[in-house]
């Protein structure tokens, strides 16, 4: 990388991310992670230590979602059955031998959601939803129907972000739940809109292709937010005197991103001056074809940040695993050192190693551990969790987002 190579120290706290090809330190007792970057100079390679600050509130999100994810998955399994119940002896076929015991514990712990019938002489024990949970589940079809225009719009925008306006169907399946798509979207959603989508074979793989370009959709979530509140904020900052540099990294302007620095991070004046120049720098729209730009151009590199920001803004929970992001490497022409790009913009993105896989958060979407805007699908899921007393899921009454 022109005289620079990235490496991370090896010790007993080290974790390796095979997808992004980089080591990440995870100190459970510490609030930060140190990263060493070697710089080439006349005196040889000298290490420079950089600190990656942990955000405890976002780490907690991954802990909070462990039990809810099991509950919601079991509900989906039950609802997918023809007779809306699952024999306990068949649970292992659905989730595997190891996970079976986790689900059995969930069934026992939450009788307000799951009811176990001991069966009879001819019927083995089975689990179904309680009457209250069944009533909530019966409303899912209406919620999905109301959300369908938004899902279709986001799917069109996703295809517009890609360089060839087409994405492998297997990649979309990989992030279907993050986008809020139904599990059978290939048969229930795509055929309903032949004016927008078609499925074609490319190099032996089924690809979802965009049928027509809509310029009205080529507006990013960041641009939409600026149109609502940013212009007024920028006007209020304009006066006869030079505006002082913002210590939180936020600047009012059409090319600026919302910054959320981690606790403990204290940028110096040099850093803020550089950030201000970056925030004010123009860059091409994420919806323009990436092949038109030189990847080494600073404006093109800022455009990559905008692509990641827009992509994550389409997800229901404004977060994705690093594996899911990497699945779109070719379609979006993402940089080879994607993790380094995310680390460099830690005011916009946050990476946590909590959970089974490393997860990337869009920081502006969260206030503490709470997602500030929830789509109707998430609010519907929260109704199940309220049956078992999960007050933390909706205690702040998040705004509904479509």
């Amino acid at each position: 990388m022109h005289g620079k190579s990235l490496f991370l120290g090896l010790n007993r706290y080290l974790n390796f991310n095979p997808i992004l090809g980089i080591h990440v330190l995870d100190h459970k007792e510490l609030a930060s992670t140190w990263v060493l970057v070697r710089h080439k100079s006349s005196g040889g390679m000298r290490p420079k230590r950089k600190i990656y600050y942990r955000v405890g509130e976002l780490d907690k999100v991954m802990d909070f979602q462990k039990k809810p994810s099991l509950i919601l998955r079991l509900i989906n399994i039950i609802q997918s059955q023809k007779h809306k119940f699952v024999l306990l002896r068949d649970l292992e076929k659905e989730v595997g031998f190891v996970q079976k015991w986790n689900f059995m514990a969930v069934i026992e712990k939450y009788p307000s959601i799951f009811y176990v019938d001991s069966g009879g002489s001819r019927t083995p024990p089975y689990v179904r939803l309680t009457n209250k949970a069944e009533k909530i589940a019966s409303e899912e079809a209406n919620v999905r129907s109301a959300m369908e225009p938004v899902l279709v719009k986001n799917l069109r925008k996703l295809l517009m972000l890609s360089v060839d306006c087409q994405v492998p169907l297997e990649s979309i399946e990989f992030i279907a739940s993050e986008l809020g798509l139904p599990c059978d979207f290939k048969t229930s959603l795509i055929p309903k809109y032949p004016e927008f989508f078609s499925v074609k074979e490319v190099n032996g793989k089924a690809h979802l292709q965009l049928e027509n370009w809509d310029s009205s959709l080529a507006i990013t979530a960041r641009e939409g937010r600026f149109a609502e509140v940013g212009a007024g904020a920028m006007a209020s900052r304009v006066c006869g005197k030079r505006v002082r540099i913002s210590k939180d990294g936020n600047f009012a302007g059409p090319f600026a991103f919302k910054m959320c620095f981690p606790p403990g991070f204290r940028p110096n004046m040099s850093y803020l001056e550089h950030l201000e120049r970056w925030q004010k720098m123009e860059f091409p729209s994420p919806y323009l074809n990436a092949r038109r730009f030189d990847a080494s151009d600073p404006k093109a590199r800022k455009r990559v940040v905008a692509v990641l920001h827009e992509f994550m803004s389409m997800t229901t929970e404004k977060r994705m695993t690093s594996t899911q992001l990497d699945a779109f490497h070719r379609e979006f022409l993402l940089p080879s050192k994607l993790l380094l790009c995310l680390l460099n913009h830690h005011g916009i993105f946050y990476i946590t190693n909590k959970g089974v896989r490393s997860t990337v958060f869009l920081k502006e979407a969260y206030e503490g551990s709470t997602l500030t805007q929830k789509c109707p699908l998430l609010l519907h899921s929260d109704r199940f969790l309220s049956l078992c007393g999960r007050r933390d899921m909706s205690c702040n009454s998040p705004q509904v987002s479509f």
Side-chain angles (χ1 to χ4, degrees):
M1 210 170 89
H2 300 292
K4 293 185 179 180
S5 62
L6 182 69
F7 82 103
L8 295 169
L10 297 172
N11 60 38
R12 63 192 180 91
Y13 297 105
L14 178 144
N15 288 327
F16 181 69
N17 188 322
I19 299 299
L20 297 178
I22 193 168
H23 290 90
V24 179
L25 289 167
D26 184 15
H27 295 256
K28 294 184 178 179
E29 286 83 15
L30 301 180
S32 62
T33 294
W34 59 265
V35 177
L36 290 178
V37 179
R38 286 191 183 273
H39 296 267
K40 192 173 183 179
S41 66
S42 58
M45 302 291 284
R46 57 184 177 83
K48 181 179 180 181
R49 176 172 292 189
K50 292 185 179 181
I51 303 294
Y52 185 68
Y53 290 87
R54 292 293 182 192
V55 181
E57 295 296 328
L58 293 181
D59 286 337
K60 289 178 183 177
V61 173
M62 304 308 297
D63 293 328
F64 290 158
Q65 62 92 39
K66 288 179 182 178
K67 285 286 178 62
S69 64
L70 289 176
I71 293 172
L72 296 175
R73 186 181 173 192
L74 183 55
I75 290 172
N76 288 334
I77 291 172
I78 294 173
Q79 289 299 102
S80 66
Q81 305 299 313
K82 181 179 179 180
H83 299 292
K84 307 301 180 185
F85 68 82
V86 177
L87 297 177
L88 292 181
R89 70 183 184 189
D90 293 339
L91 191 57
E92 184 178 330
K93 297 178 183 178
E94 299 286 344
V95 300
F97 177 76
V98 176
Q99 281 292 319
K100 168 189 172 181
W101 302 108
N102 292 330
F103 282 95
M104 292 293 287
V106 164
I107 292 170
E108 184 179 0
K109 188 173 182 180
Y110 300 109
S112 57
I113 300 178
F114 304 108
Y115 174 76
V116 178
D117 194 309
S118 58
S121 58
R122 297 184 179 181
T123 306
Y126 62 87
V127 58
R128 62 172 177 82
L129 298 183
T130 62
N131 292 337
K132 288 184 178 180
E134 183 62 43
K135 184 177 184 299
I136 296 173
S138 66
E139 299 169 6
E140 182 178 354
N142 293 333
V143 175
R144 288 199 172 276
S145 178
M147 277 287 294
E148 188 168 300
V150 180
L151 300 180
V152 171
K153 182 187 75 171
N154 285 342
L155 200 52
R156 294 170 68 192
K157 287 167 71 74
L158 174 64
L159 295 175
M160 289 169 64
L161 274 181
S162 64
V163 290
D164 296 315
C165 293
Q166 60 183 23
V167 174
L169 264 176
E170 63 181 13
S171 296
I172 297 178
E173 285 183 274
F174 192 35
I175 62 166
S177 60
E178 279 66 28
L179 294 177
L181 296 172
C183 57
D184 61 345
F185 75 94
K186 291 191 293 183
T187 56
S188 66
L189 187 67
I190 292 175
K192 289 175 64 176
Y193 299 93
E195 68 275 24
F196 299 145
F197 311 114
S198 64
V199 178
K200 296 184 179 180
E201 289 284 329
V202 179
N203 297 327
K205 279 187 178 182
H207 281 62
L208 185 65
Q209 190 168 55
L210 185 70
E211 282 298 297
N212 60 75
W213 182 275
D214 188 347
S215 298
S216 66
L217 297 180
I219 300 173
T220 65
R222 183 194 59 81
E223 290 170 330
R225 187 185 71 247
F226 175 76
E228 292 177 2
V229 299
M234 184 170 66
S236 66
R237 289 172 64 95
V238 177
C239 57
K241 300 179 181 179
R242 183 179 183 274
V243 179
R244 188 176 181 181
I245 296 176
S246 172
K247 291 184 178 180
D248 63 5
N250 288 299
F251 300 89
F255 301 101
F257 290 82
K258 175 70 181 297
M259 292 287 165
C260 306
F261 288 143
F265 179 67
R266 300 290 183 267
N268 56 31
M269 188 58 66
S270 174
Y271 181 94
L272 291 173
E273 288 174 350
H274 173 77
L275 180 59
E276 182 179 24
R277 290 192 296 270
W278 186 85
Q279 288 275 49
K280 292 179 178 179
M281 181 173 62
E282 298 181 7
F283 63 93
S285 168
Y287 288 100
L288 294 178
N289 196 307
R291 292 195 181 101
R292 297 170 53 181
F293 312 110
D294 180 4
S296 62
D297 186 343
K299 293 182 179 180
R301 290 200 295 266
K302 187 174 181 180
R303 179 190 170 278
V304 169
V305 175
V307 169
L308 293 170
H309 184 283
E310 179 71 353
F311 186 28
M312 296 189 65
S313 296
M314 297 177 189
T315 63
T316 57
E317 296 184 277
K318 308 301 183 282
R319 70 174 190 254
M320 304 177 74
T321 67
S322 57
T323 314
Q324 290 171 325
L325 276 177
D326 195 68
F328 289 81
H329 220 120
R330 179 178 299 177
E331 284 68 33
F332 296 159
L333 291 187
L334 298 176
S336 57
K337 298 196 175 184
L338 178 58
L339 180 59
L340 185 58
C341 173
L342 296 168
L343 290 172
N344 285 338
H345 298 284
H346 60 103
I348 304 172
F349 309 107
Y350 177 67
I351 307 171
T352 178
N353 285 336
K354 295 285 186 179
V356 178
R357 301 175 183 87
S358 60
T359 301
V360 182
F361 284 83
L362 186 61
K363 296 177 74 173
E364 67 182 45
Y366 286 81
E367 185 174 334
S369 298
T370 304
L371 185 63
T372 55
Q373 293 186 330
K374 290 190 175 184
C375 69
L377 284 174
L378 291 181
L379 293 176
H380 179 260
S381 296
D382 285 352
R383 293 181 62 194
F384 284 113
L385 304 179
S386 66
L387 293 179
C388 57
R390 293 280 300 191
R391 299 289 183 183
D392 56 289
M393 303 303 295
S394 56
C395 60
N396 291 339
S397 300
Q399 182 179 348
V400 179
S401 174
F402 284 89

